[in-house]
Amino acid sequence: MTRLARALPLILLALSYSTVSQQIADPNPDLWQSPDLGLGSGKTIGAALLEPFEDTYEVTVREPGKLSPATLHNCKEYLRVEDAIYDAGPAPASNSLNYVAARCNALHLLQSARPAVHPTFRDFDFRHLAVRNLPPGLALIIADEEQKNADRITRHGGSILDLEKDVSVRATRRDEADLATPEWTATLTVLARADFLNDGREELLIRRNAAAIGGTYRSTRIFLLSRKSSSESLKIERALP
């Protein structure tokens, strides 16, 4: 009997064990991602992070004892200095960078995401969501006092209606909805569903693109939302940047 023949049963056993282990670790292979992330045609997250921006961004970053200029060409460069950015230039450039930065952060979060054991957002649909189930943190908050008020409402289990009584929500698609108040508007877009917190449960990764009415202030952020069941209100787990 050849060495290969003698080793064949062990090889088959190892392959079988590997397959079973993968099934145990990955019981739900479907990890939904929005086309907005630009990961179609087999593009990897690593490749997307290196993909050149449509425009380069000139920013000022904090370094020990000084401020230094930096030019950002892609998401990888942005993520490297994100926490050190001191100034992103005038409003048009700053707003533009803020928008592409949301995608950069979403891609970064997806790198460590995994399929969820408990897919609590598999049936999620903005068209069936009541505004009272939205958390206060999804509102466009500019002033520090507004943020303190939103934090207080969150601690007491309140909703966005306790912060913005005139807010309305209108679903434009299953994965997208518009929020509106007399002071600001926002669009919520689902970017991915996955286990981002390594807790076995599915979280919703959304982008909120908001703008003040009658002004130049804009804010694009991404949020990780959780819920224990489809009947519960949404809870913000993380907000970036």
Side-chain angles (χ1 to χ4, degrees), residues 20-233:
V20 171
S21 298
Q22 185 177 0
Q23 290 173 347
I24 292 173
D26 188 11
N28 177 10
D30 297 324
L31 195 159
W32 185 85
Q33 301 167 5
S34 168
D36 284 12
L37 290 172
L39 292 175
S41 303
K43 185 189 299 180
T44 65
I45 293 176
L49 290 171
L50 291 171
E51 202 169 44
F53 292 148
E54 290 186 6
D55 299 301
T56 57
Y57 296 95
E58 305 294 334
V59 300
T60 302
V61 298
R62 301 182 190 89
E63 292 186 347
K66 63 177 181 178
L67 297 174
S68 301
T71 303
L72 306 180
H73 302 87
N74 55 49
C75 280
K76 188 172 183 180
E77 292 179 357
Y78 168 79
L79 292 169
R80 189 182 299 126
V81 301
E82 177 181 29
D83 294 335
I85 293 178
Y86 174 77
D87 181 32
S94 178
N95 290 337
S96 177
L97 177 59
N98 184 234
Y99 185 82
V100 300
R103 176 175 179 263
C104 295
N105 278 297
L107 292 171
H108 182 62
L109 286 173
L110 272 172
Q111 281 189 306
S112 57
R114 62 184 65 189
V117 178
H118 306 289
T120 49
F121 284 102
R122 182 56 52 87
D123 61 344
F124 182 80
D125 190 330
F126 272 123
R127 294 170 296 184
H128 303 150
L129 185 72
V131 67
R132 66 177 179 275
N133 288 328
L134 294 174
L138 289 182
L140 178 59
I141 298 172
I142 301 175
D144 290 341
E145 277 306 310
E146 290 178 313
Q147 186 61 62
K148 290 178 182 178
N149 194 23
D151 292 342
R152 179 186 60 79
I153 293 169
T154 299
R155 287 194 300 271
H156 288 84
S159 80
I160 194 171
L161 283 171
D162 297 306
L163 183 69
E164 296 279 1
K165 297 188 183 303
D166 295 325
V167 67
S168 63
V169 59
R170 182 180 68 87
T172 54
R173 301 194 312 249
R174 174 180 180 175
D175 59 345
E176 191 167 275
D178 292 332
L179 299 180
T181 75
E183 291 80 31
W184 56 266
T185 61
T187 298
L188 306 178
T189 305
V190 179
L191 296 180
R193 298 191 307 264
D195 178 6
F196 291 94
L197 302 177
N198 197 24
D199 59 359
R201 294 187 177 276
E202 192 172 46
E203 288 84 41
L204 203 65
L205 178 64
I206 72 163
R207 178 183 65 215
R208 188 212 62 196
N209 191 24
I213 295 175
T216 60
Y217 185 81
R218 295 180 178 273
S219 170
T220 304
R221 306 189 76 187
I222 60 168
F223 297 83
L224 277 182
L225 305 180
S226 67
R227 68 180 181 185
K228 293 182 179 178
S229 70
S230 59
S231 61
E232 289 196 355
S233 295

